[in-house]
Amino acid sequence: MIAELDYDKLADLISDKLAEKMKENEDHTRSFAWARKNLFANRSYSWIKYWIISKYPEILTENGGWLTKPSGPGKPVKVISEKAARQWLAENEQSIDWSAPEPVTIARRMGLAKPIKRNKQQ
């Protein structure tokens, strides 16, 4: 004997799975704080600006990319396409030196920034 199917439950299950799949395929605009944490391994803004934005200008929206240009206070930087950002990072992951030092560290080594003041131990 063939068991009867509960068509309403089956329809609900299918619609839930379809809604999940559609959400996965959506593209999102994200804040720069989100991008720092989820795309750039929690690097500082200055590190991203120096090692990513200045070295790879093709990521800026004015050049057809996915990141708005840093243009001063009151103008937040945004990732306009999370999908494009993830794809670009996957393609360029090997060319980015993720262990590169902070720009201020480079400046200190060159004598262009003040050294860190340390309290003397007594």
Side-chain angles (χ1 to χ4, degrees), residues 62-102:
E62 63 189 22
N63 299 328
W66 43 267
L67 186 72
T68 60
K69 185 176 181 177
S71 54
K75 309 261 184 184
V77 176
K78 292 191 182 256
V79 173
I80 61 165
S81 173
E82 179 186 344
K83 276 186 175 182
R86 288 189 185 279
Q87 180 182 356
W88 185 89
L89 284 166
E91 292 169 2
N92 294 282
E93 186 175 12
Q94 297 302 316
S95 62
I96 298 169
D97 183 5
W98 293 100
S99 62
E102 290 285 333

Side-chain angles (χ1 to χ4, degrees), residues 19-77:
E20 246 178 61
K21 282 289 184 191
M22 289 176 70
K23 272 191 174 183
E24 288 175 6
N25 293 331
E26 287 180 6
D27 202 5
H28 298 280
T29 298
R30 301 290 189 175
S31 70
F32 192 70
W34 180 92
R36 279 185 56 217
K37 183 177 181 183
N38 295 286
L39 300 176
F40 298 114
N42 222 13
R43 295 291 184 179
S44 71
Y45 175 75
S46 61
W47 189 94
I48 296 166
K49 190 174 177 182
Y50 184 80
W51 292 107
I52 306 288
I53 297 172
S54 67
K55 308 268 187 215
Y56 303 96
E58 69 268 15
I59 68 171
L60 296 174
T61 53
E62 63 189 22
N63 299 328
W66 43 267
L67 186 72
T68 60
K69 185 176 181 177
S71 54
K75 309 261 184 184
V77 176

Side-chain angles (χ1 to χ4, degrees), residues 97-115:
D97 183 5
W98 293 100
S99 62
E102 290 285 333
V104 71
T105 303
I106 296 169
R108 282 192 182 114
R109 288 177 186 164
M110 295 174 62
L112 301 174
K114 293 180 180 179

